[in-house]
Structure formats: C-alpha cells, structure tokens
Amino acid sequence: MIVAGCDVGSTTGKVVIMDDGNILSHSLVPSRVICEDTAVEAMNNALEGTDLKLEDIEYIVGTGYGRVNIPFARKNITEISCHGMGAFWTSPEIRTVIDIGGQDCKVIKLEPNGKVREFVMNEKCAAGTGRFMEDTALALSLAVEELGPLSLKAASRASVSAQCSVFAETEVISLMAEKRPLEEIVAGINDAVASRLAGMVLRVGMEEQVVLSGGVSKNVGVIRFLQERMKVEFVDVSEKVDPQLMGALGAAIFARQRADKGERRTRRRRSRAENA
Ligand code: ADP
C-alpha cells in the first residue's frame, strides 16, 4: 500500500512516500510564501522518478506549521506527534526526541509505544533555531552547512549568549571586530544553541535513547556539543532517514495506520452486508 506524509515547515517542505512500510521516495524543498505551493512542489518532487501519480497514493497525512493548507492531505496531525512517530519507526527504543527546526525547537518524550508523553517547545525566541543559525551564518558570510564542520576545528569556543538571538548577533559582530578566529566564533554559536537545548531537556528530564531531528540536527558541531553537555550519545538515524524528514516520515506512518483502519472498516461493512 502506498501512503505519504507531507510536512510543510516554516523553512522547508518535505514529503516521504512509503510502500508497505519502506521509504520509496522523498523530497525536501525550500518553503514558499504560500503553504499550498510548498506542499505541491514537495509532492511533485517526491513523485518524480517514481512510476506513481498523486492518485496512486492511498492516504496522505499533513503536518508542520502549514499542515492545514495541504490540498491533498486527508488528515493533519501535529508535528510533535509526527516527529515522535518518525523517531519510533527508526528505533522503538527511543524515548526522547530533540527537534530543531527553522523557527522553533522541541523536546518530546515518548511512551514505549511511540505516543507522545509530554513535550516542551521554544517558539517565542529565535535563539536555538535554524533561523538563528541562518542569520548568524549570513553575518559571517558562511553557509549553514559550514557551521558544524568549521566549529569542530576550533581550539576554544567563544562565549556567545544562549538566551537571546539579538544579543547573540551583537556578540558575534563584536567578536568579528576583535578578530577572534572564525572557527572559535562558530563554535561559540553552536555551543550557545547546545546550551539552550540542554536547558530545555532538563525541564522535561532526559530518558535514553535520545535522537535529534530537524534541519539543525545535521550540524555536527551542535550534535557534539549537546552530547557533551547531556553526557549521552545520540542514536544515529542517518542511514535509515535524513533526520530533517522525521516529521514527514511520521506523517506517512500515521497515513498507513489511517488507511489500514479505513480498509478494516470497509471489510467489516461488506461482510455485515453479505451476512444480512
Ligand atoms: P522547518 O521544518 O521548521 O521548516 P527544518 O527542520 O527543515 O525546519 O530545518 C530548517 C533549518 O535547518 C534551516 O533553518 C537551517 O538552519 C538548518 N539546516 C538545514 N540543513 C542544514 C545543514 N546541513 N547543516 C546545518 N543546518 C542545516
């Protein structure tokens, strides 16, 4: 059975198409101004290179900030539940998911069956989010992809405020004026994000195993510094799925569950009608 999940986030749109529990195809596109356009482009990209058409997909679940504006989704489910479900698919041992997206970050605690037990979310301040990383990368004339590898080359980490992105940006400009080595400034930025995330984890308590999801989880500097602070090794899911696709993956798994439920209902109705 073919199902799909579509995650329209603040920064990127993602689609995962699954066939009988395996990932068949996926896509990741920058978000457009109109959520519907992002969803359509992400879906078209995921369908490209497969023999499938949109009509071949049995059930589609939408998630993410633009989830209510996905024209082909039959159901929408919060990104918190979807990131949890995606993480559970990669390993049923996972109990804590740290999702670092474009405009917010969340720490999600899971039950042994993959359901969300509790979560904390930071959405009021950009500090610790992908947006903050993009702004600081721009100020340093770097690409976000360079922030992780560069920070691991630093001999020491500059001190950068973890609490406020506006202060952090001012500090970065001062550090540049002081001619502090670029890698040390970048290490300071990644460490500030790690410190903010570690603080959020403390609020709900950490339970192993732990996994990172969302675009910023591709930053090897944030991964290393957060592991140091939390004194734990994160589960590496990259061989199973791009961690930025975790929400879309969870949505696809929910789509499969919904489609199965619908099929069972139809079978029950049919057999009742036959026996009448
Ligand atoms: P959303 O779902 O909110 O749209 P994503 O989970 O797609 O957000 O994350 C987007 C963020 O991921 C971007 O703002 C960017 O900072 C970050 N990002 C994406 N790719 C990388 C990478 N290779 N290294 C570091 N950061 C990255």
Side-chain angles (χ1 to χ4, degrees), residues 9-12 14 101-102 130-131 134 144-145 214-216 218-219 244:
S10 59
T11 314
T12 63
K14 287 84 61 178
R131 177 66 195 274
E134 282 181 24
V144 274
E145 290 78 8
V216 181
K218 292 176 175 172
N219 179 321
Q244 199 169 1

Side-chain angles (χ1 to χ4, degrees), residues 96-100 106-107 197 201 210-213 226 230:
T96 308
V97 185
I98 304 171
D99 169 41
I100 326 159
K106 315 169 190 79
V107 180
L197 291 166
V201 175
V210 183
V211 76
L212 298 189
S213 69
L226 187 55
M230 290 174 55

Side-chain angles (χ1 to χ4, degrees), residues 142-214:
L142 293 169
V144 274
E145 290 78 8
E146 293 176 277
L147 296 178
L150 194 58
S151 69
L152 297 186
K153 292 187 186 144
S156 70
R157 296 171 206 170
S159 166
V160 175
S161 163
Q163 297 313 318
C164 173
S165 64
V166 180
F167 283 154
E169 275 178 55
T170 313
E171 282 168 2
V172 166
I173 292 162
S174 302
L175 289 163
M176 284 161 73
E178 287 166 22
K179 303 247 179 308
R180 186 84 189 244
L182 192 57
E183 62 273 19
E184 293 184 9
I185 302 177
V186 173
I189 294 164
N190 287 342
D191 199 32
V193 170
S195 146
R196 192 170 174 99
L197 291 166
M200 281 176 71
V201 175
L202 271 183
R203 274 159 57 196
V204 279
M206 185 197 71
E207 217 176 304
E208 289 188 56
Q209 298 180 351
V210 183
V211 76
L212 298 189
S213 69

Side-chain angles (χ1 to χ4, degrees), residues 11 26 30 38 41 60 65 74 110 116 121 123 125 159 162 175 184 196-198 210 225 230-231 233 237 248 265 267:
T11 314
H26 59 82
T38 309
E41 189 182 349
I60 302 171
Y65 134 100
R74 281 175 63 184
L110 299 180
V116 176
M121 187 165 170
E123 54 185 347
C125 175
S159 166
L175 289 163
E184 293 184 9
R196 192 170 174 99
L197 291 166
V210 183
F225 303 156
M230 290 174 55
K231 298 186 176 41
E233 282 273 306
V237 294
R265 217 177 292 134
R267 248 187 272 131

Side-chain angles (χ1 to χ4, degrees), residues 83-105:
H83 277 266
M85 183 51 83
F88 181 70
W89 180 87
T90 63
S91 165
E93 306 299 319
I94 288 170
R95 296 288 178 275
T96 308
V97 185
I98 304 171
D99 169 41
I100 326 159
Q103 264 176 15
D104 60 36
C105 39

